[in-house]
Structures are given as C-alpha cells and as structure tokens.
Amino acid sequence: MKTAITEMFGIRHPIIQGGMHYVGFAELASAVSNAGGLGIITGLTQKTPELLAREIARCRAMTDKPFGVNLTFLPSFTAPPYPEYIAAIVEGGVKIVETAGRSPEQHMPALKAAGIKVIHKCTSVRHSLKAERIGCDAVSVDGFECGGHPGEDDIPNMILLPRAADALKIPFVASGGMADARSLVAALALGAAGMNMGTRFMATKEAPVHQNVKEAIVAASELDTRLIMRALRNTERVLKNAAVEKLVGIEREKGASLTVADIHDQVGGVYPRIMINGEMDAGAWSCGMVVGLIHDIPTVAELIDRIMAEAERLIRGRLAGMLGDAQ
C-alpha cells in the first residue's frame, strides 16, 4: 500500500508505532520496523542522552529498516537537555523524529539541519496547522479516543480527521482508536495517509512490558478508561484501576482547587512499577478506548500482516463490491 506516509518514511505499510513511556524500547521499535511499519523509540524513557544513544545503537543492531525516536517537549521548568538528546539522535543516524507535548518550534532548525523528517502529535486542527507552519513534515492527529493526552477539545476522530484533511497540506496519520484493518481503512477514507497505534502495540509478544499489562488490555472493554487531571488542563486517558478510582475521588473532593501535589502518589513515577514490575494498581497509566477492540496478544508481524491482508479484503471486496459493475 503506497501513501504519502509510506513514501515519506520509506516504509512498506502505513502503520506507525507511537512513542510510549517505558514501552518504546528497541525490542518493540525494531519488531514494528522489521514487519514493515515504523517503529519508534521513546526518547525520554532513556534518562540521559547517552542512554538514548545506546538504545538507538541497540535498535540499529536489531533492524536495518527505518525507525524513529519520540521526543516529548515538557514545560520549561522540567525540561530535559533537549539539544543533547537531539545530538544523540543525529549521531545515531536516525532520520525520523516524532515530537509531542509542547511545540517543537525552537528545536526545528537543529532537526532540519540534520535532514530529519518531523511528525508532530496534535489533538486539534489549529495545532496541526501550527505544526505545518513551523516546518513539520507530517502530523499525527490524535482524536479524543486516544490513550494519554487527548487535549481539551474532546473531538473524536470521525470529525477531527476530515477537518484535518480539509485544512492541511502536509500528510497526516490517524491516532487514537486505531487497532485493526477497519481502523486503517476508515482512517484512509477520512483523509489520513496511515495510522498510529499505541495501546494495540502494547498487547503484542515483543512489547517489553509485563504480561500483567498485556492481559489487562485484553480483559478491558471500551468502558474501562477514565479521564484524569481535567481540572489541571492536562487531561489524560488512563485505564481504570484502584489507584485511578482513588485519584478520581480526590479530584471530585478538591474540585477546582486541585493541584498536582494532591494526586502525586497516583501519577508520580508509576511507569516502571507498572510496565516492568506488573503492579497493576500502582498508579495511573495511559491507555486508549481502543482496548475494547483488543482481544489477543499476537506477534508484531502477525498483527501487521493481519491488518494489511484484511485491509485489502475490505477495500477490494466489501467496498468495491458495493459499487457493483459500475465503471
């Protein structure tokens, strides 16, 4: 399948594995790239630029296909040494960077000077247009369904994607709610040039997360996510668990006076405990509504091959068949 995204990134299938904290290690990124998609290493999961350089080298040893690095730009008071992280990416020969969080504008000259293609994650059309304006090559449009931070507009992908298609000149991929061939074909129909999957890739054999996490994803339904931190205008979609129920109770009690300190125990430093140790009630972790569509734990190659085969059947069979013999 050829799209603007497969051409831009030199990949076989228009499927991207988004950067995920304590999930986007070399094992998963290389598996996705080897299967014809675009694997992504999560930059800030690596505590230092030196560790990121090592992870890039590890991934390079596991695949000869293109892969990218995710860089999430945090508020300036917690800002990591971004120029050093970018240097590690450049020196590692990585040519694709997925940016997220705040605008990557101040770092675009360094990325562009190294010939790097930048795809920025956006939750609105206005942010997508800003990304286009500052020189991003593509955007990942995240609908309200997505795990992690869906923004504050609450626009689902059935509306957001066609709006993005009407407004943008650069290509974009659909993110949030993406799990299978139906997701991909629908995203293409709505104007996207591919899809970005996060939660779905966590429930694969190669995902370097605890088996408890994978089983929790398979067991959950589309009703099992919660939105937290809305009062802080830092809304995050997470999977329901004991810690999240406690957090929601604190938010209800505090109302508009809520501060990060009030919920620190439920959101601070929980990712290693959940993803590595499998402590499923340790705290809040990002997870999409798409859990309702995830029923197995295949290998990455099985998942991608299945998606592409079914997408072809959907397009050539079901959709083309509806047109009858009309030419």
Side-chain angles (χ1 to χ4, degrees):
M1 189 183 280
K2 272 193 169 54
T3 75
I5 287 292
T6 62
E7 301 292 286
M8 179 179 291
F9 296 139
I11 55 179
R12 216 170 128 226
H13 306 308
I15 297 173
I16 298 174
Q17 165 247 317
M20 294 170 281
H21 203 32
Y22 277 87
V23 181
F25 293 102
E27 289 84 352
L28 181 58
S30 62
V32 173
S33 292
N34 284 332
L38 180 67
I40 305 265
I41 291 169
T42 308
L44 296 189
T45 294
Q46 303 299 325
K47 294 279 185 269
T48 65
E50 294 73 24
L51 287 171
L52 176 58
R54 198 179 303 167
E55 195 69 9
I56 289 169
R58 225 161 61 82
C59 196
R60 180 84 57 219
M62 297 159 103
T63 184
D64 58 359
K65 305 283 194 299
F67 63 89
V69 172
N70 165 284
L71 265 189
T72 296
F73 294 108
L74 302 167
S76 52
F77 57 85
T78 53
Y82 288 115
E84 286 90 336
Y85 274 98
I86 290 168
I89 290 166
V90 173
E91 285 158 22
V94 174
K95 291 298 181 187
I96 301 159
V97 167
E98 175 192 63
T99 54
R102 304 210 155 191
S103 171
E105 187 165 11
Q106 73 181 97
H107 303 287
M108 287 299 286
L111 293 165
K112 291 280 110 188
I116 287 171
K117 299 277 189 213
V118 177
I119 178 166
H120 186 56
K121 290 185 83 111
C122 303
T123 59
S124 68
V125 173
R126 66 186 180 281
H127 291 149
S128 302
L129 287 168
K130 171 81 186 293
E132 180 176 83
R133 208 158 50 241
I134 64 173
C136 291
D137 300 278
V139 289
S140 176
V141 176
D142 275 30
F144 181 56
E145 309 92 322
C146 74
H149 298 280
E152 308 302 321
D153 296 342
D154 301 356
I155 309 296
N157 268 330
M158 284 294 283
I159 311 299
L160 190 59
L161 298 176
R163 279 284 294 114
D166 289 343
L168 290 168
K169 295 183 184 69
I170 57 174
F172 67 95
V173 297
S175 185
M178 302 290 128
D180 56 28
R182 296 169 299 183
S183 316
L184 177 58
V185 173
L188 296 172
L190 294 172
M195 69 176 178
N196 177 307
M197 298 195 303
T199 306
R200 172 67 269 202
F201 276 125
M202 291 174 72
T204 57
K205 295 270 198 297
E206 293 90 341
V209 299
H210 198 282
Q211 186 67 17
N212 291 354
V213 176
K214 301 179 189 187
E215 288 172 9
I217 289 170
V218 171
S221 87
E222 66 277 13
L223 303 174
D224 290 327
T225 67
R226 296 287 179 268
L227 293 174
I228 61 170
M229 298 193 287
R230 178 130 276 190
L232 304 174
R233 290 192 64 75
N234 187 31
T235 303
E236 183 178 2
R237 187 179 296 285
V238 299
L239 194 69
K240 179 178 77 173
N241 63 21
V244 167
E245 293 303 323
K246 185 173 180 187
L247 189 159
V248 169
I250 294 167
E251 289 188 331
R252 202 176 292 124
E253 184 190 321
K254 296 278 182 181
S257 68
L258 182 79
T259 67
V260 175
D262 295 323
I263 55 171
H264 180 268
D265 290 351
Q266 287 77 36
V267 297
V270 299
Y271 272 81
R273 292 174 61 196
I274 293 161
M275 298 300 162
I276 296 168
N277 303 337
E279 297 173 37
M280 296 317 296
D281 288 318
W285 58 282
S286 294
C287 184
M289 276 185 172
V290 77
V291 285
L293 299 176
I294 299 172
H295 310 300
D296 63 351
I297 305 170
T299 67
V300 165
E302 285 165 354
L303 176 63
I304 291 179
D305 289 349
R306 180 168 81 196
I307 289 170
M308 296 313 300
E310 287 180 10
E312 185 168 344
R313 276 199 295 277
L314 272 175
I315 295 165
R316 290 192 197 279
R318 183 155 192 265
L319 299 182
M322 288 176 179
L323 298 175
D325 297 328
Q327 292 299 311

